[in-house]
Amino acid sequence: MADKETTPKEIAGNAAKKTKGFFGEFKEFIMRGNVLDMAVGVVIGAAFKSIIDALVANVINPIIGLATGGVDFSKLSVTIGKDLTIGYGAFLQTIISFVLIALVVFLIVKGINSLHKKDDNAPAGPSELDVLTEILGLLKSRQGS
C-alpha cells in the first residue's frame, strides 16, 4: 500500500498552522461568535446606560426633588472640618441609576424567559427505557436474520 503524497496546498496549510502564533490565535479568538456577541452587548449596554442616566437626571431626580421640597440630589454633600467635603448626592444618583438598569434588565430577561417557556401540555417523548428496549429489539431481529 503506497503512502499518499502530500500536496503543496497541504504543506502550506500545515506551515500556516505551525506559524499561526500568538496573533493568529488572537484573531481566531476574536472572530468567534461569542466574543462578537459580547462586544455588541457591551456597546448596546453603554448606550442603554446613557439613556438611563438621562432618565434619572431629567425625570426621576426632579420628581424626587419635588417630593422632598426641591432638593437637588446631585449637590447633596456633607462637610467635615474645614477642608473635607463628601458629595454623597452624586452617589445616591448613581445608586438610583443602577437600580433602574437592574430593573430593566430583570424585566427583559423575564420577558425572554416567558417566551422560551416550555409547554407543559406537550406530550412527552418516549422514555429512555422505551428507546433502549426498541434498540434491543432491533439488534435481536438483525441477529436472527
Side-chain angles (χ1 to χ4, degrees):
M1 179 175 182
D3 289 335
K4 179 183 167 195
E5 282 191 33
T6 307
T7 66
K9 187 175 183 179
E10 290 173 330
I11 293 171
N14 291 338
K17 285 179 186 175
K18 289 179 184 175
T19 60
K20 181 168 40 171
F22 176 79
F23 291 109
E25 289 179 27
F26 180 70
K27 178 183 174 188
E28 190 176 300
F29 170 76
I30 289 297
M31 297 310 290
R32 293 167 116 183
N34 295 346
V35 174
L36 294 175
D37 291 343
M38 185 178 68
V40 169
V42 168
V43 170
I44 290 174
F48 184 69
K49 182 189 178 310
S50 63
I51 292 170
I52 293 295
D53 286 344
L55 174 70
V56 169
N58 299 318
V59 177
I60 305 290
N61 282 346
I63 292 171
I64 293 174
L66 183 64
T68 59
V71 176
D72 182 6
F73 272 97
S74 64
K75 295 182 181 167
L76 290 177
S77 64
V78 65
T79 303
I80 301 173
K82 293 181 181 179
D83 298 331
L84 181 61
T85 301
I86 299 173
Y88 65 91
F91 178 68
L92 290 175
Q93 193 168 356
T94 303
I95 289 174
I96 292 169
S97 177
F98 170 77
V99 169
L100 285 175
I101 290 171
L103 175 68
V104 171
V105 168
F106 170 75
L107 292 174
I108 289 171
V109 170
K110 186 174 170 111
I112 290 172
N113 285 343
S114 70
L115 293 175
H116 293 292
K117 190 178 264 187
K118 288 185 177 179
D119 185 12
D120 292 334
N121 297 331
S127 70
E128 185 177 342
L129 181 62
D130 294 337
V131 172
L132 290 173
T133 305
E134 184 178 345
I135 291 171
L136 182 61
L138 289 170
L139 289 173
K140 284 182 178 179
S141 69
R142 275 188 167 178
Q143 285 179 348
S145 58

